[in-house]
Amino acid sequence: MADQFQSSFQRTSALKGVATDISQLMDKLDTNELRLEEEEVDYDTSNDAKEPSGSQIPFSAIYKTKSFKEPQIQVYLPGEPIKAHVVEVERFTSTSKVPSPNIYTIQLKHGEFTWHVKRKFKHFQELHRELLRYKALLRLPIPTRSFTVRRQTVKRGEPRTMPTLPRSSDNIVREEQISSRRMEFIGINQLSFIHHLGPKGLEGFVMKRSGGHRIPGLNCCGRSQICYRWSKRWLAVKDSFILYMKSDSGAVAFVLLVDKEFSIKLGAKETETKYGIRIENLSRTLIIKCNNYRHARWWGQAIEEFIRKHAVVFLEDQRFKSFSAVHENTLCKWYVNAKGYFEDLADALEDAKEEIFITDWWLSPEIFLKRPVVEGNHWRLDYVLKRKAQQGVKIFVILYKEVELALGINSDYSKQTLKRLHPNIKVMRHPDHVSSSVYLWAHHEKIVVIDQSVAFVGGIDLAYGRWDDHEHRLTDVGSVSRNVCTPSVTTNNQTPITTPGENKEAERNRVKVTLEKSAEAEDEVDSSRMKGIGKSKKSFPVLNLVKQLQWQNLEHSDSVSSLDSTDHERGSECSLHTDIGDLVGQTRFWHGKDYCNFVYKDWIQLDKPFDDFIDRHVTPRMPWHDITAVVHGRAARNVARHFIQRWNFTKIVKAKYRPLSYPYLLPKSLSTAHELRYQVPGSVQARAQVLRSAADWSCGIKYHEESIHNAYIHVIENSKHYIYIENQFFISCADNKYIFNKIGDAIAQRILRAYREKQRFRVYVVTPLMPGFEGDILTGGGTAIQAVMHFNYRTIARGENSIIEQLRREMEDLWINYFSVCGLRTHVDLNGQLVTELIYVHSKMLIADDNTVIIGSANINDRSMLGKRDSEMAVIVEDTEFVPSVMDGAEYKAGKFALQLRLHCFKLILGALNDPTIQVQDPISEKFFKETWIATSARNATIYEKVFRCLPSDHVRNYVELADFIAKEGLYVEDPAKALEELKKIRGFLVQFPFCFLSEENLLPALSTKERMVPMEVWT
């Protein structure tokens, strides 16, 4: 027994001695001699994003990977040594026939990165032999001048930098082979030391089996070994994903994201191969093969330990069953309408340094982000993207590929327009309807992510018709005058004319110029752009800004002027100080296709962006009311992760995107998310979580996600005082036959609970007065409008499942003290005639209790909420900073983010922005609810109906009454002066929603119509 103990002790001592000797040997190695530091790389960054300060490899290097055998590849951190020592020695066999039966665990440190490799003694011998051969070959008398110089350098003594081998001989070991072998020995590649990819995990060559995708058609139907293909790949483990690369090209060939289904399994039973490892997530089952059992066990354990240490947030079940965790101290900001959003987005895009991700239901490249346009095309979206692409920023865009017979958004035009701008702009469209059999569902997210650090999420597409501000103008025609400060210029030998009062300015070479164009010329321009619509009844002066901007030496001024306006444009007067002078008067904000009224006429000829398609002198535009938000840091990383998952999935399923020109995208590490180089001004700190609707067809995941739906239900059920909802649709109240989302039921149950407990509780819903589809319900052409109206009314007031009917069964008519549904409407004098139009509510927002907000792209209907249908993105923001406020007459601590958003919305729609006497601070008090909210909406609705006889109306219950209703002229025709006096009583935009409109008619499409032929799910 003593002998055995002594023998064991001797072996242990010997192993420790070997470990110490190896560590000392590696410490004494000259890293310069072994060329563990690369030579300076001839790396052109003149047209690329700026490198981070310090010894960091820029994140943009992920798009510049080269073959592993290339001699000049950037692998190591500049100026940083690699430190190594042996931390463990173990025997890999008990036989005495192997001369060195030890495996050495080596810890290496390079800059901020620390990692481990396991190597046998033979691996050291092989590397050492190649290094000796490399040095010996330098001394061969090869008759080339460059090689002679290098050989003489070696003879002079100990070189600090190993000279480069000649390229002329094929019989010697090349330098790139030595570099590749050295990289393999210490387990590194070109992506190992990129700061924003996070900690370095295990790396090395493995054999990878094809297939394993959860996408129909991408896998062989058989299970025999002949159905699979094995390929040698370099596998790299990062903190939230695993990738493998092709060594011959250096290209990333696949990215497997860590998610809650991520798992590692070993053994032939799980992998169907000897020494196999099974790596699985929601999107794929990846099988890799190792050299032996010990190798496979080490890889499996190392991957699992690394992921569980660094990616536990992605492995855990998150609140609402979301893919994203809850993130504290997240900078957030809200936007009501697109004006502020587009301006902040323009500034954020301008500051982008590495990547821009964009996905929209519809994208119009020619929209202006800052209006009115006083800098030519500088802030036009396509010009901004082109400018950033020329600076080296990589831009990736995913567009919804529509069914062209059903939608006229022409995504192919958008794609081709963007692709032509610059090679750094990559555009995908998805889905392919035939191959995927997806005809009914759409990609509905509206996302812009800058450098994976700032993410805009909401309901506003970068498209025509979306830009609006708090005035919600109906018109956009007229003239403009500008005071321009510029040196006086004489042309055609004429002397500039100045009045006596201008002599002083003339002496300073400054002249006041008034730019106008004749009314006759305006008629000429308009008639050429109306495409058969006809000239306006009245002439309006207009400014041709194209020529004037060129006179001011502004480049790229090829778009139509935005500085045309009218005396009839309500509330459009402004004065702006710009680099080219003071803009005084009224300005044009919408150009060509951007001036729209999609109920009157849907978009046509989108390839002619600056041609009007409706007569702006006759038809008012339809104002657009919408909400979006921006988040920073870890929440922005999650938004980017969703985009990356969609991009990589689309690259796999569509063959045209598989070439290397469409790269796989890599998510940045959460560990560096706090390093915000840019912050959107005005952001406040709050708790944020990213939500989504996603499924196999949209993201390639095994199980669908409906975290937006879950969040809505949770917030409604747990609300204490009020719920405020703005949404484009209001289709809910499950019957488990046609409707399945339970948001309406949750609202009804929360009101009933408040009634039973005798609590004061309010629910406000703001939704469009009419659905936004082309057609005229007066002439029977609005079948799609009627279909959506049917399900909206079914949710609100009609049928046993509706909210009001659920409430009436217990509280009779007392529901009116709890529940209010409204729409928005406005009016203006257009060309001497009073006109009105509804304001299209496109928001997707919920506010509860002045402390919780949900903003996103998801409508309240089954399409958006169920997860299996349309893809959506949203963010829930919960306040952590509180300010004094009032709730039901008592002091209340309200959240800073939610309170300011609710106050702005209430002030906007109730007219309090211009009338401080309207109090909106207390959202549930009896005075506010009845004397402000209900009274204002009822008064506005009554006035609009009296003046304009506008629809929808509670006085129209069937088609007979509809005909009688429209046959009678409104007050605006009978007595315009009196009508104008009545309209002065309007406050804000809020009007009551008419519950009884066409209540005696079946609004479902007739069996003979095309709308009835499509599945009912299209409308729900």
Side-chain angles (χ1 to χ4, degrees), residues 214-215 257 259 281-284 323 398 430-431 438 443 445 447 641-650 652-653 692-705 867-873:
R214 303 196 190 282
I215 305 164
L257 300 178
D259 55 39
N281 74 345
L282 283 170
S283 301
R284 186 180 181 185
F323 78 107
I398 307 177
H430 186 263
V438 177
H443 287 298
E445 305 101 315
I447 299 170
R641 192 177 185 86
H642 170 76
F643 180 94
I644 289 168
Q645 187 173 40
R646 275 195 54 197
W647 177 276
N648 292 345
F649 166 69
T650 305
I652 294 170
V653 297
R692 67 176 180 175
S693 293
D696 53 352
W697 79 266
S698 58
C699 288
I701 56 179
K702 184 178 181 181
Y703 307 114
H704 77 276
E705 180 180 325
K868 300 177 182 178
R869 302 185 182 181
D870 290 358
S871 61
E872 306 284 2
M873 176 64 62

Side-chain angles (χ1 to χ4, degrees), residues 626-733:
D626 218 333
I627 309 286
T628 199
V630 62
V631 293
H632 300 68
R634 295 166 75 89
R637 289 280 203 270
N638 288 141
V639 178
R641 192 177 185 86
H642 170 76
F643 180 94
I644 289 168
Q645 187 173 40
R646 275 195 54 197
W647 177 276
N648 292 345
F649 166 69
T650 305
K651 177 176 170 62
I652 294 170
V653 297
K654 297 190 69 171
K656 65 163 66 175
Y657 301 134
R658 291 176 193 166
L660 297 181
S661 58
Y662 285 83
Y664 279 96
L665 302 183
L666 306 181
K668 287 186 177 180
S669 173
L670 290 181
S671 64
T672 63
H674 63 282
E675 301 173 11
L676 295 177
R677 191 184 42 77
Y678 177 82
Q679 297 180 16
V680 175
S683 300
V684 299
Q685 285 195 340
R687 180 186 303 116
Q689 182 182 14
V690 179
L691 313 168
R692 67 176 180 175
S693 293
D696 53 352
W697 79 266
S698 58
C699 288
I701 56 179
K702 184 178 181 181
Y703 307 114
H704 77 276
E705 180 180 325
E706 52 179 306
S707 53
I708 302 176
H709 183 210
N710 296 335
Y712 264 80
I713 299 296
H714 173 84
V715 173
I716 292 169
E717 290 178 345
N718 291 274
S719 58
K720 292 180 173 57
H721 302 287
Y722 79 89
I723 300 165
Y724 176 66
I725 291 173
E726 289 184 8
N727 208 283
Q728 180 187 5
F729 293 90
F730 197 51
I731 299 175
S732 187
C733 297

Side-chain angles (χ1 to χ4, degrees), residues 579-627:
D579 291 339
I580 56 174
D582 290 327
L583 177 68
V584 180
Q586 299 170 325
T587 62
R588 175 169 288 185
F589 295 93
W590 298 272
H591 310 278
K593 300 298 187 296
D594 215 4
Y595 185 94
C596 59
N597 188 321
F598 43 87
V599 172
Y600 171 75
K601 186 176 184 179
D602 210 347
W603 283 274
I604 58 173
Q605 295 181 317
L606 292 174
D607 56 338
K608 299 178 180 178
F610 297 107
D611 287 354
D612 284 3
F613 71 110
I614 59 175
D615 190 343
R616 63 179 71 214
H617 298 285
V618 176
T619 305
R621 67 177 290 270
M622 182 169 285
W624 191 277
H625 183 79
D626 218 333
I627 309 286

Side-chain angles (χ1 to χ4, degrees), residues 259-309:
D259 55 39
K260 60 185 177 181
E261 289 290 309
F262 183 87
S263 64
I264 303 287
K265 296 179 181 178
L266 305 176
K269 183 178 179 180
E270 297 289 347
T271 64
E272 300 175 348
T273 186
K274 195 175 182 181
Y275 311 139
I277 303 175
R278 176 177 178 154
I279 308 173
E280 191 169 11
N281 74 345
L282 283 170
S283 301
R284 186 180 181 185
T285 298
L286 176 64
I287 305 294
I288 61 175
K289 183 166 58 176
C290 299
N291 298 327
N292 51 57
Y293 172 75
R294 182 182 293 274
H295 189 203
R297 188 182 67 175
W298 176 55
W299 269 79
Q301 291 176 348
I303 294 173
E304 188 163 16
E305 289 175 5
F306 186 84
I307 294 299
R308 292 201 175 278
K309 178 180 179 181

Side-chain angles (χ1 to χ4, degrees), residues 234-408:
W234 180 272
L235 191 75
V237 182
K238 305 303 288 187
D239 67 346
S240 69
F241 64 94
I242 294 174
L243 64 83
Y244 57 76
M245 307 168 68
K246 296 181 179 179
S247 60
D248 55 348
S249 64
V252 176
F254 186 74
V255 178
L256 188 142
L257 300 178
V258 176
D259 55 39
K260 60 185 177 181
E261 289 290 309
F262 183 87
S263 64
I264 303 287
K265 296 179 181 178
L266 305 176
K269 183 178 179 180
E270 297 289 347
T271 64
E272 300 175 348
T273 186
K274 195 175 182 181
Y275 311 139
I277 303 175
R278 176 177 178 154
I279 308 173
E280 191 169 11
N281 74 345
L282 283 170
S283 301
R284 186 180 181 185
T285 298
L286 176 64
I287 305 294
I288 61 175
K289 183 166 58 176
C290 299
N291 298 327
N292 51 57
Y293 172 75
R294 182 182 293 274
H295 189 203
R297 188 182 67 175
W298 176 55
W299 269 79
Q301 291 176 348
I303 294 173
E304 188 163 16
E305 289 175 5
F306 186 84
I307 294 299
R308 292 201 175 278
K309 178 180 179 181
H310 297 285
V312 64
V313 68
F314 297 107
L315 298 173
E316 297 175 338
D317 288 331
Q318 302 298 338
R319 187 179 59 163
F320 310 132
K321 299 182 180 179
S322 171
F323 78 107
S324 166
V326 179
H327 300 300
E328 302 286 345
N329 303 319
T330 301
L331 288 172
C332 308
K333 183 179 180 179
W334 51 261
Y335 301 93
V336 178
N337 298 314
K339 180 181 185 295
Y341 165 44
F342 279 11
E343 289 175 355
D344 276 1
L345 174 64
D347 293 336
L349 290 172
E350 195 68 24
D351 198 72
K353 294 295 186 291
E354 298 160 349
E355 297 171 319
I356 296 171
F357 300 158
I358 302 174
T359 181
D360 273 328
W361 180 80
W362 183 23
L363 186 148
S364 306
E366 296 86 5
I367 64 166
F368 290 94
L369 298 179
K370 292 191 177 184
R371 309 183 192 192
V373 181
V374 293
E375 298 179 68
N377 287 320
H378 185 79
W379 295 113
R380 210 173 86 182
L381 178 60
D382 52 351
Y383 277 73
V384 174
L385 296 181
K386 181 178 180 179
R387 186 162 61 247
K388 299 312 296 182
Q390 290 172 338
Q391 293 170 11
V393 176
K394 301 292 184 179
I395 300 171
F396 304 96
V397 182
I398 307 177
L399 300 177
Y400 164 55
K401 185 177 182 181
E402 76 283 8
V403 179
E404 294 181 7
L405 294 177
L407 285 172

Side-chain angles (χ1 to χ4, degrees), residues 494-550:
Q494 294 181 356
T495 305
I497 301 174
T498 60
T499 63
E502 291 175 325
N503 287 336
K504 272 190 178 180
E505 292 187 1
E507 289 173 4
R508 291 190 223 114
N509 291 326
R510 300 170 72 86
V511 61
K512 179 179 178 180
V513 183
T514 300
L515 305 175
E516 291 182 345
K517 191 173 181 180
S518 67
E520 292 79 13
E522 202 286 351
D523 276 344
E524 209 173 293
V525 172
D526 243 23
S527 62
S528 68
R529 295 189 182 277
M530 282 299 110
K531 301 298 179 184
I533 295 175
K535 297 182 181 179
S536 62
K537 298 177 183 177
K538 185 178 178 181
S539 299
F540 294 86
V542 68
L543 167 70
N544 185 346
L545 184 64
V546 179
K547 293 180 180 178
Q548 304 299 342
L549 288 177
Q550 290 171 346

Side-chain angles (χ1 to χ4, degrees), residues 781-995:
T783 311
I785 294 176
Q786 293 183 40
V788 175
M789 284 173 56
H790 167 81
F791 289 104
N792 278 337
Y793 278 118
R794 178 202 164 281
T795 302
I796 298 169
R798 299 178 191 174
E800 62 180 4
N801 294 306
S802 68
I803 293 174
I804 291 178
E805 287 303 315
Q806 289 186 55
L807 299 177
R808 273 180 176 156
R809 285 196 289 267
E810 186 166 337
M811 64 172 66
E812 296 181 344
D813 288 337
L814 292 178
W815 63 267
I816 62 175
N817 295 320
Y818 296 86
F819 185 53
S820 171
V821 183
C822 295
L824 303 179
R825 180 177 286 280
T826 189
H827 66 279
V828 76
D829 184 308
L830 174 61
N831 200 13
Q833 183 169 338
L834 291 172
V835 295
T836 184
E837 185 57 90
L838 65 88
I839 297 172
Y840 193 66
V841 179
H842 192 261
S843 319
K844 298 92 170 54
M845 176 188 69
L846 180 149
I847 307 176
D849 299 339
D850 281 352
N851 57 32
T852 303
V853 180
I854 300 176
I855 296 174
S857 65
N859 296 311
I860 296 181
N861 58 15
D862 281 359
R863 291 186 65 110
S864 292
M865 290 294 172
L866 295 187
K868 300 177 182 178
R869 302 185 182 181
D870 290 358
S871 61
E872 306 284 2
M873 176 64 62
V875 60
I876 178 171
V877 179
E878 298 166 290
D879 274 298
T880 55
E881 296 181 11
F882 297 93
V883 295
S885 185
V886 181
M887 189 72 70
D888 197 15
E891 292 184 358
Y892 182 75
K893 289 294 185 182
K896 190 174 181 181
F897 182 92
L899 175 65
Q900 295 304 319
L901 173 57
R902 198 263 302 167
L903 289 176
H904 185 87
C905 291
F906 276 21
K907 289 178 180 179
L908 170 64
I909 64 180
L910 289 168
L913 288 177
N914 302 315
D915 186 354
T917 64
I918 302 175
Q919 296 299 314
V920 298
Q921 191 75 24
D922 190 338
I924 68 171
S925 69
E926 200 76 1
K927 181 177 181 180
F928 171 78
F929 184 70
K930 292 185 176 179
E931 298 179 20
T932 302
W933 185 273
I934 298 297
T936 300
S937 61
R939 180 178 62 249
N940 288 349
T942 301
I943 294 172
Y944 277 127
E945 187 170 311
K946 180 180 178 180
V947 172
F948 294 106
R949 307 284 291 176
C950 51
L951 296 174
S953 169
D954 276 331
H955 293 97
V956 177
R957 298 171 184 264
N958 54 54
Y959 291 124
V960 174
E961 292 180 355
L962 177 62
D964 295 339
F965 186 83
I966 62 177
K968 185 178 178 180
E969 297 287 357
L971 188 62
Y972 79 103
V973 175
E974 297 175 349
D975 191 344
K978 188 175 181 180
L980 198 57
E981 287 300 315
E982 288 290 325
L983 291 173
K984 290 180 181 179
K985 302 175 185 177
I986 294 289
R987 291 293 178 270
F989 306 111
L990 195 70
V991 294
Q992 277 186 343
F993 193 90
F995 292 160

